[in-house]
Amino acid sequence: MAEISFAILLLSLATIILNVNADAGRPAVFILGDSTADVGTNNFLPGSQARADFPFNGVDFAFSIPTGRFSNGLNSADFLAKLLGYEKSPPPYLSTVNYSRYSRTTQALKGINFASGGSGIFRLTGQLPSDTPNSGKQNAIPLAEQIEQFESVRSSLMAAMGPLRTLRFLSKSLFFISIGSNDIFEYYRSNNKLSKERFFANLGIAYENQLKALLELGARKFGIMSVPSIGCCPSQRLYSPNGGCLEELNDHARAFHTKIESILCRLSEEYQGMKYSLGNAYEMTINVIDNPLPFNFTNVKAACCGVGRLNAESNCNPNAYLCSSRDNYLFWDLFHPTEAAAQLAAVTLFSGPTRFVAPINFSQLAQA
């Protein structure tokens, strides 16, 4: 019996190694971040209020299923995976915890999504205040904890393939990260007395340490998405009498992009073999807002799904107003892009010019 079990183990390991070789031309994709990349993580957090597993979310997904994506359909993580040749994007990490060891390792060879809606670079970002219901339960999984989850996946790969093969595999894998908006929103809306300079210094230190943690675990190829023009979200336009963008928030988004640029440049000099692609989400979004018609957008101010002025006075829900021409809207809800906007963002990241993604685009990163 022991000999049979050992033979099955060897066969499983051989299959895993063959899969690594077979997928040599298509890198694995590990996705970390917030609701812009969440494909259902928060469905597994019973106390979370940052969820999208209810209508009208998912109205344009297959069979109109609300999957937990903050979208009417797919998000940018989905489209990036498709552009890399995958039929669908990696599943949420929490959906794999009950897989068999073999199935979990096989999935890891294609990639896993750790992104969690409401999360941030700081551990406390997105967590519920102590005086609210469910305050003792986790509302979102911060980036540091997402990296801890990735470390457990890495351990499974190490056990299956050994250190050398695992590190070689991870060095060729892509790590897509989209995070930071929630940290900035909370700072902007709080009574925090920190200066803007001190806040971004602290945020940069935290982000750099988390990127270093991934580098120490073997990551080498980073596709980073900076913060878009969050002052132009429908939820923020509400604060302007004429529905205009909040330029102070947009200034914060630009400042964070500059901070990420310097971090990535520094880390690429410190860690041998590190390559990166930085998407300028601010420029990408403003370009569409300032010139929407070539991109088939006729409404770049209001949410497609919501209530009240600009459909931004309440979250998207089954009782909200739902626009019919969803492909013509930039925003799906108070904060998030429509499927059409997410696809445009992914295509721009994948093959766009240096104005929007630099020093190389995500396609070039995958081939590097």
Side-chain angles (χ1 to χ4, degrees), residues 46-70:
S48 176
Q49 294 182 9
R51 294 171 69 139
D53 54 344
F54 51 83
F56 289 110
N57 296 296
V59 65
D60 295 313
F61 201 84
F63 306 106
S64 295
I65 296 173
T67 61
R69 290 166 172 82
F70 295 78

Side-chain angles (χ1 to χ4, degrees), residues 119-359:
S119 67
I121 294 166
F122 293 137
R123 279 189 178 269
L124 291 180
T125 296
Q127 303 308 320
L128 297 172
S130 58
D131 58 349
T132 59
N134 293 333
S135 61
K137 296 182 179 180
Q138 192 166 28
N139 193 55
I141 300 173
L143 182 57
E145 189 174 336
Q146 294 176 37
I147 294 170
E148 292 168 6
Q149 292 174 342
F150 167 71
E151 188 171 6
S152 72
V153 172
R154 178 183 181 268
S155 296
S156 296
L157 290 171
M158 285 278 193
M161 301 193 299
L164 290 179
R165 283 185 179 273
T166 299
L167 290 175
R168 189 180 305 123
F169 165 75
L170 292 177
S171 71
K172 297 177 181 179
S173 300
L174 297 177
F175 290 77
F176 293 153
I177 308 176
S178 176
I179 202 162
S181 295
N182 294 317
D183 300 281
I184 295 173
F185 275 132
E186 290 197 7
Y187 167 71
Y188 183 73
R189 293 296 174 199
S190 73
N191 294 319
N192 197 320
K193 300 302 182 183
L194 276 182
S195 68
K196 174 184 172 182
E197 292 72 23
R198 186 69 259 167
F199 168 75
F200 281 106
N202 291 347
L203 191 63
I205 290 168
Y207 201 13
E208 183 168 358
N209 287 338
Q210 289 158 3
L211 293 175
K212 281 183 176 180
L214 285 169
L215 284 158
E216 294 293 338
L217 291 170
R220 285 299 179 271
K221 292 186 177 184
F222 293 86
I224 307 289
M225 189 77 159
S226 67
V227 171
S229 52
I230 53 178
C232 298
C233 292
S235 62
Q236 304 310 302
R237 287 181 183 270
L238 274 183
Y239 294 98
S240 171
N242 63 356
C245 301
L246 295 188
E247 289 307 323
E248 187 177 359
L249 263 177
N250 285 347
D251 287 343
H252 289 352
R254 288 191 293 266
F256 188 52
H257 179 84
T258 301
K259 177 67 69 175
I260 300 173
E261 270 187 317
S262 63
I263 290 171
L264 292 174
C265 182
R266 185 164 56 249
L267 291 178
S268 66
E269 294 173 353
E270 184 177 343
Y271 286 87
Q272 184 177 5
M274 178 187 169
K275 300 177 178 67
Y276 69 89
S277 174
L278 174 59
N280 191 332
Y282 176 85
E283 280 295 324
M284 289 164 56
T285 311
I286 282 295
N287 182 54
V288 174
I289 290 172
D290 290 345
N291 193 31
L293 292 182
F295 303 101
N296 198 39
F297 293 117
T298 57
N299 193 321
V300 295
K301 292 185 176 182
C304 171
C305 181
V307 175
R309 179 170 169 247
L310 298 175
N311 284 333
E313 294 179 1
S314 177
N315 288 318
C316 180
N317 61 66
N319 298 316
Y321 168 81
L322 176 67
C323 73
S324 57
S325 54
R326 292 181 282 279
D327 287 347
N328 300 132
Y329 275 69
L330 178 62
F331 290 101
W332 164 241
D333 59 14
L334 278 67
F335 299 100
H336 304 100
T338 56
E339 180 181 70
Q343 183 174 21
L344 175 61
V347 169
T348 304
L349 290 169
F350 196 74
S351 56
T354 52
R355 175 189 172 188
F356 302 121
V357 55

Side-chain angles (χ1 to χ4, degrees), residues 92-145:
Y93 167 78
L94 293 180
S95 72
T96 71
V97 293
N98 292 322
Y99 285 14
S100 67
R101 179 179 296 181
Y102 172 76
S103 296
R104 190 165 58 248
T105 305
T106 301
Q107 179 58 58
L109 297 177
K110 299 176 182 178
I112 292 177
N113 188 314
F114 304 90
S116 172
S119 67
I121 294 166
F122 293 137
R123 279 189 178 269
L124 291 180
T125 296
Q127 303 308 320
L128 297 172
S130 58
D131 58 349
T132 59
N134 293 333
S135 61
K137 296 182 179 180
Q138 192 166 28
N139 193 55
I141 300 173
L143 182 57
E145 189 174 336

